[in-house]
């Protein structure tokens, strides 16, 4: 374990870990939106900014991407940090004025008015959905499109995300809950990715339990016999 | 909509354990699984008031503890009262600037005995006073920790040591008390039912309860292989069957509006759930039919309420 300090409190992190995770573990709150332990840190939202002092030099940096290093001093509540944080949440709020979570976070940080031109987006461009889809699911169904201020998270060419297995991992992970999933009759739809898949019906109970496409993929990958997914998870055994 | 999600979706939940392994729960205990998921959902900033019962006993054999968050063992009668006090205390300390302002959840938890019977008065009081706290009932349908005595949450027909099946009676002769309905009758902002066989659904409901201001009540069906006389490896399946047969429907009451979490187009026969449990072994087909009838009726009533909720929604546009 590697010892260092956060806000004057001695903490320890493991080799290869990041400052944000150690802080949260120690009960030190740092706001964050694009961090999820299951995938590599990405530094997209910039909300987790902290000041880090190392060898006499101090700089503002994102805690989620800053590695645990011996002897560093991290500050999460300096005037500079708080000011930067307020600016960032104001920018995100200007981009996505309708997101409840962003509104709440902004209010808590003391941001009550937005000075920038407001857009009407709902996605905060945190990239979590695509990272989860890639690193956890392995489906590579969605990716950022375009660059700079035109950047967007959309299904490929704005059509149906053909690699999507409708597993819902991104639905659960999206911090602002804008990826919706619908199930109607024998179909499941991941609305944002325009992906609709037929569901498989259990041979025993008749319930629709998972998308065909998904089950076929699992069967293929794990080399299971043809009838392996004929019955649902409950009716098996 | 997330009840059926498994495989990958669960891997987006935190890998941190706030309820440590190494506890003394029985093999196949779904109650302890529920507690583990609740702890995951709430994270580090929570203070737990835990009534006596299996979950308290198995997690705190002196000098060990499974709890990686602040935790109180409280008496049966006053779980919700203690949780109210903690919430009020935190509020005052924050107002006076004695501790930094941040969201700390006050969580009360108790078994079905501790909730539906002994702690009901304190719970009703706390719900009515409107404390910002979460109350979780882990319902294994009897006083399990002291050796399977019936509670008011034990289902009709179940054999327990104090409602034994035999020549005189058929096991429990009263119908399961509907705790979620009792909580909802307090007009609190959030009531839900959940089951650890549906982990994402459970976690999301607990998170929602934490976000909502005011009291929230979550009733969690917790399969108990020891008390239900079922095979430990069937606990997850039994939880699913409870939902799929309509015995324990998963739903939410969000600001008075009912919503079914999963609406099965066709419910499975209740017998499929019952036949896997030794506590119902003595039931004849006639009795099972009687149980199924009642369960179907209650399910229809619930669906009716959910349909009304959906109608109100669409009317509002
Ligand atoms: C006032 C009081 N009465 C009785 C007991 C003995 N007792 C300890 S645990 C327990 C059973 C609790 O049942 P329940 O609340 O359903 O939780 P479970 O053990 O089933 O999870 C009882 C009766 C006690 N500790 N305090
Ligand atoms: S639902 Fe589709 S897009 Fe989302 S993680 Fe699963 S495969 Fe990827
Ligand atoms: S859709 Fe959600 S998860 Fe994906 S980038 Fe946008 S905000 Fe992040
Ligand atoms: S959480 Fe660190 S940049 Fe988003
Ligand atoms: Mg009990």
């Amino acid at each position: 374990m590697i010892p260092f300090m956060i806000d004057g409190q001695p903490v320890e992190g493991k080799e290869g870990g990041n400052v944000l995770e150690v802080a949260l573990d120690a009960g030190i709150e740092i706001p964050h939106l694009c961090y999820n332990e299951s995938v590599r840190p990405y530094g997209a939202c910039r909300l987790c900014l902290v000041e880090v002092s190392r060898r006499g030099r101090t700089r503002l940096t994102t805690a989620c991407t800053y590695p645990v290093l011996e002897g560093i001093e991290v500050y999460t509540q300096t005037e500079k940090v708080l000011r930067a944080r307020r600016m960032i949440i104001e920018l995100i709020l200007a981009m996505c004025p309708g997101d409840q979570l962003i509104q709440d976070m902004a209010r808590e940080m003391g941001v009550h008015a937005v000075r920038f031109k407001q857009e009407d987006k709902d996605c905060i461009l945190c990239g979590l959905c695509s990272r989860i889809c890639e690193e956890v699911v392995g489906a590579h169904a969605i990716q950022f499109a375009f660059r700079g201020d035109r950047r967007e998270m959309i299904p490929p060419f704005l059509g149906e995300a053909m690699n999507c297995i409708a597993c819902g991992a991104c639905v659960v992970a999206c911090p602002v809950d804008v990826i919706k999933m619908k199930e109607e009759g024998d179909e499941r739809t991941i609305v944002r990715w325009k992906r609709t898949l037929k569901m498989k019906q259990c041979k025993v109970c008749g319930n629709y339990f998972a998308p065909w496409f998904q089950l076929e993929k699992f069967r293929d990958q794990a080399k299971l016999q043809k009838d392996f997914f004929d019955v649902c998870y409950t009716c098996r055994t | 909509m997330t009840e059926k999600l498994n495989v990958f979706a669960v891997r987006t939940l935190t890998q941190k354990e706030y309820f440590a392994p190494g506890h003394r729960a029985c093999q196949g205990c779904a109650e302890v699984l529920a507690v583990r998921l609740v702890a995951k959902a709430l994270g580090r900033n929570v203070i737990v008031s835990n009534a006596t019962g299996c979950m308290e006993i198995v997690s705190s054999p002196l000098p060990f503890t499974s709890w990686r968050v602040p935790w109180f063992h409280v008496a049966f009668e006053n779980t919700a009262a203690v949780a109210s006090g903690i919430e009020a205390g935190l509020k005052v300390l924050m107002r006076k600037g004695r501790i930094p302002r941040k969201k700390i959840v006050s969580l009360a938890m108790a078994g079905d005995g501790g909730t539906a019977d002994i702690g009901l008065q304190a719970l009703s009081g706390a719900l009515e006073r409107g404390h910002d706290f979460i109350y979780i009932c882990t319902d294994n349908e009897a006083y399990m920790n002291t050796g399977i005595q019936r509670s008011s949450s034990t289902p009709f027909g179940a054999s327990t040591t104090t409602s034994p099946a035999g020549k005189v009676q058929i096991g429990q002769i009263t119908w399961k008390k509907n705790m979620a309905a009792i909580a909802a009758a307090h007009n609190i902002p959030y009531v839900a039912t959940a089951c650890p066989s549906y982990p994402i659904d459970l976690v999301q409901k607990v998170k929602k309860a934490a976000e909502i201001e005011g009291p929230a009540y979550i009733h969690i069906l917790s399969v108990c292989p020891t008390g239900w006389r079922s095979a430990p490896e069937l606990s997850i399946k039994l939880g699913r069957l409870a939902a799929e047969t309509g015995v324990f429907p998963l739903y939410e009451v969000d600001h008075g509006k009912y919503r079914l979490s999963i609406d099965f187009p066709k419910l499975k026969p209740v017998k499929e759930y019952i036949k896997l449990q030794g506590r119902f072994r003595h039931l004849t087909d006639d009795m099972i039919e009687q149980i199924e009838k009642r369960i179907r009726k209650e399910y229809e009533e619930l669906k009716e309420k959910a349909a009304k909720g959906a109608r109100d929604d669409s009317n509002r546009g």
Side-chain angles (χ1 to χ4, degrees):
Chain A
M1 291 304 255
I2 302 167
F4 64 103
M5 304 284 268
I6 304 180
D7 294 339
Q9 178 182 331
V11 291
E12 287 187 329
K14 59 177 188 304
E15 170 112 46
N18 65 71
V19 167
L20 178 62
E21 123 192 292
V22 178
L24 295 176
D25 258 0
I28 299 163
E29 288 292 294
I30 301 175
H32 55 280
L33 283 168
C34 70
Y35 177 70
N36 181 307
E37 291 162 46
S38 312
V39 290
R40 285 192 300 274
Y42 192 59
C45 74
R46 315 309 289 173
L47 257 185
C48 67
L49 282 175
V50 291
E51 280 196 275
V52 179
S53 285
R54 185 170 178 230
R55 300 206 197 104
R57 290 185 53 209
T58 302
R59 66 187 184 109
L60 211 53
T61 180
T62 44
C64 67
T65 55
Y66 201 90
V68 164
L69 294 174
E70 179 152 3
I72 54 172
E73 284 167 35
V74 179
Y75 300 95
T76 74
Q77 296 290 337
T78 63
E79 198 37 55
K80 204 168 167 185
V81 166
L82 297 180
R83 209 169 45 216
R85 234 183 242 171
R86 280 197 294 269
M87 172 64 92
I88 285 158
I89 199 73
E90 189 177 340
L91 285 164
I92 300 177
L93 189 59
M95 181 167 73
C96 304
D99 284 344
Q100 184 66 46
L101 175 71
I102 306 299
Q103 290 170 3
D104 292 350
M105 286 177 99
R107 196 171 350 94
E108 261 164 49
M109 291 178 205
V111 173
H112 299 287
V114 174
R115 294 163 294 170
F116 309 109
K117 193 176 119 237
Q118 303 216 11
E119 297 174 78
D120 59 353
K121 294 190 176 144
D122 57 356
C123 161
I124 59 164
L125 303 175
C126 73
L128 260 182
C129 49
S130 99
R131 280 181 288 146
I132 297 250
C133 189
E134 184 176 329
E135 293 177 40
V136 175
V137 184
H140 305 264
I142 38 171
Q143 250 307 340
F144 276 125
F146 316 121
R147 290 172 186 222
D149 66 353
R150 293 176 55 226
R151 190 170 223 205
E152 271 190 277
M153 185 63 80
I154 47 174
F157 307 106
L158 266 178
E160 180 171 352
M162 298 304 283
N163 283 339
C164 168
I165 60 170
C167 67
C170 59
V171 177
V172 175
C174 174
V176 283
D177 196 20
V178 296
I179 311 172
K180 299 291 179 202
M181 189 173 100
K182 239 179 24 199
E183 240 172 63
E184 266 160 10
D186 65 344
E187 283 181 348
R188 178 185 291 177
T189 303
I190 309 287
V191 182
R192 202 173 186 96
W193 316 137
K194 303 191 174 147
R195 182 64 159 163
T196 299
L197 290 175
K198 283 256 180 277
M199 300 281 283
K200 186 151 185 167
Q201 197 170 22
C202 169
K203 263 202 172 141
V204 178
C205 70
N207 283 328
Y208 294 106
F209 66 102
W212 269 93
F213 182 79
Q214 181 187 109
L215 296 172
E216 281 305 298
K217 200 149 183 159
F218 293 164
R219 215 173 52 75
D220 201 45
Q221 275 165 4
K223 303 206 177 3
L224 304 167
Q225 74 272 19
K226 209 164 165 29
D227 61 356
F228 190 85
F229 286 118
D230 278 5
V231 289
C232 73
Y233 301 108
T234 320
C235 292
R236 200 181 297 165
T237 66
Chain B
M1 231 342 109
T2 49
E3 313 67 30
K4 286 186 208 166
L5 301 183
N6 41 35
V7 217
F8 300 116
V10 279
R11 283 180 47 199
T12 68
L13 303 179
T14 178
Q15 286 146 35
K16 300 244 151 59
E17 301 294 350
Y18 298 94
F19 185 88
H23 51 71
R24 265 57 160 180
C26 307
Q27 240 185 73
C29 171
E31 190 171 27
V32 84
L33 178 58
V35 171
R36 175 181 167 218
L37 289 168
V38 169
K40 264 185 194 287
L42 294 176
R44 201 177 183 287
N45 290 317
V46 58
I47 300 176
V48 187
S49 312
N50 189 175
T52 282
C54 283
M55 290 307 98
E56 164 264 318
I57 297 283
V58 304
S59 67
S60 60
L62 200 73
F64 304 109
T65 177
S66 273
W67 291 96
R68 291 174 173 159
V69 292
W71 176 85
F72 291 97
H73 169 205
V74 301
F76 258 133
E77 303 81 346
N78 60 354
T79 320
V82 173
S84 313
I86 289 172
E87 185 252 4
L90 285 171
K91 223 157 61 185
V92 170
L93 288 173
M94 285 180 201
R95 194 168 58 219
K96 290 189 172 167
R98 300 263 288 279
I99 55 172
R101 257 182 209 286
K102 68 173 171 184
K103 178 143 183 113
I104 300 173
V105 173
S106 174
L107 172 74
M109 52 177 265
D112 52 299
T115 304
D117 297 345
I118 315 178
L120 187 54
Q121 182 183 353
L123 172 59
S124 178
L127 297 182
E128 169 267 322
R129 290 191 301 273
H131 290 278
D132 187 11
F133 81 121
I134 307 178
Y135 190 102
I136 279 172
C137 170
T138 45
D139 181 7
N140 53 14
E141 306 198 313
Y143 290 81
M144 294 307 181
N145 182 62
T146 35
I148 326 176
Q149 290 84 24
R150 62 129 356 226
S151 78
S152 55
S153 201
T154 304
F156 181 85
S159 181
T160 70
T161 53
T162 49
S163 64
K167 279 198 210 82
V168 184
Q169 64 177 55
I170 57 144
Q172 176 94 333
I173 48 167
T174 51
W175 294 91
K176 185 180 174 75
K177 187 186 271 184
N178 190 341
M179 260 317 296
I182 292 173
H186 288 76
N187 288 326
I188 55 173
Y190 190 67
V191 175
T193 64
C195 173
S197 297
Y198 299 85
I200 297 275
D201 180 60
L202 189 152
V203 165
Q204 289 191 331
K205 282 170 175 165
V206 175
K207 285 193 169 160
K208 196 163 171 183
E211 272 163 31
I212 283 175
E213 226 168 284
Y217 177 88
I218 304 182
H219 197 91
I220 306 182
L221 183 75
S222 310
V223 178
C224 166
T226 309
W228 295 16
R229 307 274 183 239
S230 57
E233 68 272 23
L234 292 186
S235 293
I236 300 299
K237 178 175 172 143
L238 268 170
R240 287 211 192 102
L241 278 172
E244 291 173 6
T245 54
V247 167
F248 189 82
L250 300 178
Y251 64 96
E252 312 176 279
V253 192
D254 190 346
H255 293 90
K257 214 168 59 210
Y258 281 75
R259 192 185 74 82
L260 276 176
S261 308
I262 327 182
D263 186 5
F264 296 100
K266 208 173 103 235
L267 294 177
K268 288 185 178 157
V270 169
K271 191 169 180 178
E272 289 198 17
Y273 172 69
I274 280 183
K275 73 178 183 206
L276 297 175
Q277 306 172 47
R279 62 175 175 160
F280 292 123
R281 196 178 37 206
H282 54 284
L283 292 185
T284 59
D285 281 349
D286 279 357
M287 290 165 185
I288 295 176
E289 204 174 294
Q290 195 189 338
I291 292 172
E292 182 162 87
K293 231 191 204 151
R294 168 118 177 182
I295 284 182
R296 292 284 174 274
K297 184 173 149 278
E298 285 177 356
Y299 195 79
E300 282 312 312
E301 286 165 5
L302 186 64
K303 267 185 101 156
E304 193 57 38
K305 286 183 185 157
K308 186 175 173 300
R311 272 201 306 277
D312 289 354
D313 253 1
S314 61
N315 284 348
R316 223 170 289 135

